[in-house]
Amino acid sequence: MKGKDPRQKNKKDRSVDEGRRDFLKLSAAAAAAPALLRAPASEASSVPIVLPPSPPTVPWVMELPNQIVPAASVPSLTPAPTELANIAGGEAGRGRHQHWARFRPAAEYYELRAQQRTDWVVNPAYPPQKVWTYRAANTPANEFNATVMTHYGHPMICRIYNDLPANHTGFGTPEISTHLHNLHSGSESDGFPGDYYSATKAGPTLTAKGQFKDHLYPNAYAGFDTPPNSTGDFREALGTLFYHDHTLDFTASNLYRGLVGFYLLYDHLDSGNEADPTPGALRLPSHPYDYPLEFADRRFDAAGNLYYDEINPEGVLGDKVMVNGMVEPVLKVAARRYRFRLLNAGPSLFYAFSLVNPNNVKQNFTYIANDGNLLPKPLLNQQSVTLGVAERADIVVDFSKYLVGTTLYLVNRMRQEETRGPKDIKEPGVRVLKIVVDRWPSEQDLSQVPANLRPLPPLDPAEVAAAPVRRFVFERSNNMWAINGQFVNVNAPRFTVPRARGEIWELVNIDNGWSHPIHIHLEEGRIIARIRNGVSQPIPAHEQGRKDVYVINKNETIRVFIRFRDYVGKYVMHCHNLIHEDHAMMLRFDLV
């Protein structure tokens, strides 16, 4: 970028955590600076050019649990939740909970704790790892993070404690700001990057440090406070969500430590009960056959320890894929239908997944949801699903057509050689998960995949044509990552958005070497155009529903129609390639 250094536009407003976050933002100079943030030799080194491969692992020895144990609610919270932050009681200094009177009376209570473990084994070839995970009181020891399963119409107050060690050394920082991606919730509960907290530190957008923070998750359809609608629109229901740390400048490294888990939402349509007798219920495969799978690229040093360099703006591309915290695990399934919820947790690797037999012959599955949203109709007889960082896909696999004893593999056919983005598809792919059909189901499979899933709210062509347009250019600048020539400043909004107005946001990638999965907080949008090298492209079927992550590839523009409702306050848009996010490709906008 030519002209004035965009860092100078924000520098005077930055007041964050003893200068180290500014240091990361100035990482063009950081490569030559002393190792202010570097971990011990087992975890980080000087800025690498070519990294040695991770040591070999032992495949298909570790087993994922046959079923996930949902986090249990708790009968009460002590001290009791309050509309204003209970700073005297140990809560971080958040803003006032919005719509408190509406959701507080019916709220269920949950507790999650961000904790350090030093005994987590990712593969028997490697030593136990120091990891950070979110735990509920009933989370089993063999599950990496707690999985929350809940329903629309059941508001939640989720108290999240920060139990990470304040004297931590190595990559990552022991503060947290938990973002529930992409729940429709108030900005004070959104996990804003500047709202990070611990018992000893507070982020620049909080008023006080604290041991915990209460998050009001309304679990209400978007539009509940937008006349004439008083309950929201069930057509905008979310299903597959996930929560993760969003601490300013340290999102990638804290997720690398492990701070990411699933949050699954159900309603009258997608009820989580395949035996649901209610007319119209979809009866998709339900727990324990509704199974979340998180994929995360990781790199390990010669001793088999997690390696990450949080200073290098190119980041670290993992050459091992953890599946629910394990490398090359086995999942044993019954001969019946399963709903798999696939999440690309990052930080940088893209995936093109296929299900294959031992001879690498692709198998069919049904694609039912993209990001958090069920598609209007299932996509039948699919053989590949592509995921940018933070994208999700729900697929249904019918294992009843296989004999007990059958072995299948989930393979990644996307080739990627650097953190900037994927290169191409390469057959036969890398096997990341072994699936063994090891038993007949103990009960009748009552699940189905109906011909119609969740309808889409219609777009009004006149409203779209009249909508104001905002243009955002995602670019490389001064060895950093910028939006419209500026780096992130969490202390002041780049612009304000009037609540309830429909807008078109143009997401533009002018570079030819990088891909950017762009995430907009609070609301989903609809892709109305994809343009590459000036030529309109067809919108793929799986992207024709509602989305919250938009992958813009090289020389590409995406036009998104979006409307923000029900809440006011501070939110962010950022690249979900977490290396780009941590090196300044993020902006704050405020709803007014």
Side-chain angles (χ1 to χ4, degrees):
M1 175 181 162
K2 297 180 180 180
K4 185 178 180 180
D5 185 341
R7 290 170 293 187
Q8 301 306 314
K9 299 177 183 178
N10 300 332
K11 187 174 181 181
K12 64 181 180 181
D13 296 321
R14 303 297 302 279
S15 56
V16 290
D17 202 12
E18 300 169 355
R20 60 183 176 158
R21 299 169 194 277
D22 278 328
F23 178 79
L24 276 184
K25 288 293 171 284
L26 300 175
S27 62
L36 177 62
L37 297 174
R38 301 193 192 283
S42 64
E43 292 188 344
S45 63
S46 60
V47 177
I49 297 176
V50 178
L51 293 174
S54 299
T57 46
V58 180
W60 325 133
V61 173
M62 301 190 71
E63 291 189 16
L64 297 176
N66 284 347
Q67 67 180 56
I68 299 298
V69 177
S73 62
V74 297
S76 62
L77 294 170
T78 304
T82 51
E83 183 176 7
L84 295 174
N86 185 1
I87 296 171
E91 185 176 9
R94 56 164 172 81
R96 179 192 297 267
H97 281 311
Q98 299 179 57
H99 299 294
W100 177 257
R102 176 171 185 154
F103 296 117
R104 165 67 177 83
E108 300 172 345
Y109 298 143
Y110 282 77
E111 282 186 348
L112 296 177
R113 292 181 178 270
Q115 298 178 331
Q116 177 170 285
R117 295 184 63 174
T118 59
D119 63 346
W120 184 260
V121 177
V122 301
N123 189 273
Y126 292 168
Q129 306 290 324
K130 179 171 74 173
V131 297
W132 294 346
T133 62
Y134 291 101
R135 317 292 295 172
N138 69 321
T139 304
N142 65 343
E143 291 187 22
F144 197 46
N145 280 282
T147 297
V148 178
M149 298 182 182
T150 188
H151 285 74
Y152 276 98
H154 293 250
M156 177 190 301
I157 296 175
C158 185
R159 178 165 292 174
I160 303 180
Y161 287 89
N162 184 354
D163 294 340
L164 299 176
N167 62 350
H168 163 72
T169 60
F171 64 80
T173 188
E175 296 88 48
I176 61 171
S177 181
T178 305
H179 171 52
L180 180 44
H181 176 134
N182 194 41
L183 190 75
H184 197 70
S185 63
S187 61
E188 70 284 350
S189 299
D190 185 59
F192 185 76
D195 284 356
Y196 57 83
Y197 62 93
S198 70
T200 59
K201 291 180 181 172
T205 50
L206 293 179
T207 61
K209 60 191 177 184
Q211 184 66 43
F212 68 88
K213 181 168 173 272
D214 284 347
H215 301 70
L216 177 58
Y217 296 147
N219 297 329
Y221 300 127
F224 67 81
D225 194 43
T226 305
N229 205 341
S230 62
T231 60
D233 190 341
F234 83 96
R235 296 173 298 184
E236 299 194 30
L238 300 166
T240 304
L241 296 85
F242 68 108
Y243 62 96
H244 64 83
D245 182 60
H246 214 313
T247 296
L248 179 66
D249 301 335
F250 289 89
T251 298
S253 51
N254 283 7
L255 264 70
Y256 217 84
R257 286 282 180 204
L259 290 174
V260 56
F262 279 94
Y263 186 102
L264 308 183
L265 258 176
Y266 302 94
D267 72 347
H268 68 284
L269 194 66
D270 184 10
S271 66
N273 178 12
E274 64 187 48
D276 193 336
T278 306
L282 296 179
R283 293 175 46 200
L284 297 167
S286 59
H287 184 265
Y289 310 106
D290 180 354
Y291 200 98
L293 293 168
E294 172 208 325
F295 302 90
D297 61 289
R298 296 292 185 267
R299 177 80 63 154
F300 298 84
D301 66 14
N305 293 309
L306 272 173
Y307 171 93
Y308 190 70
D309 183 346
E310 57 198 354
I311 293 177
N312 187 352
E314 294 292 331
V316 173
L317 184 66
D319 60 355
K320 296 291 183 181
V321 176
M322 293 201 316
V323 185
N324 292 6
M326 302 178 188
V327 175
E328 296 174 314
V330 177
L331 177 63
K332 294 181 178 179
V333 300
R336 53 150 293 152
R337 292 186 192 90
Y338 275 71
R339 177 182 187 172
F340 288 138
R341 302 182 188 243
L342 314 179
L343 161 67
N344 181 353
S348 298
L349 197 64
F350 286 57
Y351 299 100
F353 286 125
S354 290
L355 187 67
V356 302
N357 68 12
N359 295 321
N360 294 315
V361 176
K362 295 184 181 70
Q363 309 295 297
N364 289 339
F365 54 81
T366 302
Y367 194 158
I368 63 169
N370 181 262
D371 288 355
N373 307 278
L374 286 170
L375 298 169
K377 293 180 178 293
L379 305 179
L380 306 177
N381 299 318
Q382 302 296 295
Q383 294 188 339
S384 181
V385 56
T386 301
L387 296 178
V389 181
E391 285 192 297
R392 288 88 70 211
D394 291 18
I395 65 173
V396 174
V397 181
D398 186 358
F399 292 110
S400 68
K401 60 187 180 182
Y402 299 101
L403 297 175
V404 170
T406 298
T407 293
L408 301 168
Y409 295 93
L410 193 68
V411 301
N412 175 31
R413 298 159 46 248
M414 186 74 76
R415 184 166 57 164
Q416 188 168 337
E417 298 174 344
E418 54 187 357
T419 60
R420 301 179 178 194
K423 181 178 181 180
D424 55 19
I425 299 293
K426 177 124 177 119
E427 304 289 357
V430 177
R431 294 174 176 179
V432 299
L433 174 65
K434 181 178 181 178
I435 300 175
V436 178
V437 183
D438 78 327
R439 63 194 185 279
W440 298 109
S442 57
E443 64 281 322
Q444 183 182 2
D445 181 359
L446 299 175
S447 70
Q448 62 179 17
V449 180
N452 295 291
L453 298 172
R454 192 178 299 278
L456 282 170
L459 289 178
D460 180 352
E463 182 184 22
V464 173
V469 178
R470 300 182 193 268
R471 188 171 190 265
F472 304 100
V473 177
F474 298 82
E475 59 189 328
R476 190 68 181 268
S477 177
N478 293 306
N479 204 32
M480 298 276 282
W481 306 94
I483 304 176
N484 288 352
Q486 297 184 49
F487 298 150
V488 64
N489 172 19
V490 297
N491 296 305
R494 193 83 65 87
F495 55 91
T496 60
V497 180
R499 196 177 72 157
R501 182 178 73 181
E503 299 189 350
I504 293 173
W505 287 21
E506 283 190 348
L507 313 177
V508 183
N509 184 357
I510 62 173
D511 295 308
N512 61 7
W514 300 280
S515 294
H516 300 297
I518 304 305
H519 173 43
I520 302 170
H521 282 216
L522 181 64
E523 289 278 9
E524 287 70 51
R526 297 274 293 276
I527 297 176
I528 58 174
R530 270 192 177 274
I531 303 164
R532 187 176 305 131
N533 295 316
V535 179
S536 294
Q537 305 293 314
I539 300 172
H542 70 275
E543 290 190 338
Q544 292 180 16
R546 297 167 57 253
K547 285 183 61 62
D548 57 57
V549 176
Y550 313 94
V551 177
I552 42 175
N553 298 301
K554 56 187 179 182
N555 297 320
E556 192 169 52
T557 295
I558 296 178
R559 290 170 58 88
V560 176
F561 182 80
I562 193 165
R563 178 186 287 107
F564 298 94
R565 293 155 295 175
D566 306 322
Y567 291 101
V568 296
K570 59 189 191 300
Y571 293 91
V572 291
M573 174 174 65
H574 60 89
C575 180
H576 226 295
N577 182 327
L578 300 176
I579 293 156
H580 297 177
E581 174 189 332
D582 281 352
H583 289 84
M585 189 172 265
M586 180 163 61
L587 61 76
R588 169 181 167 176
F589 64 94
D590 285 8
L591 303 182
V592 296

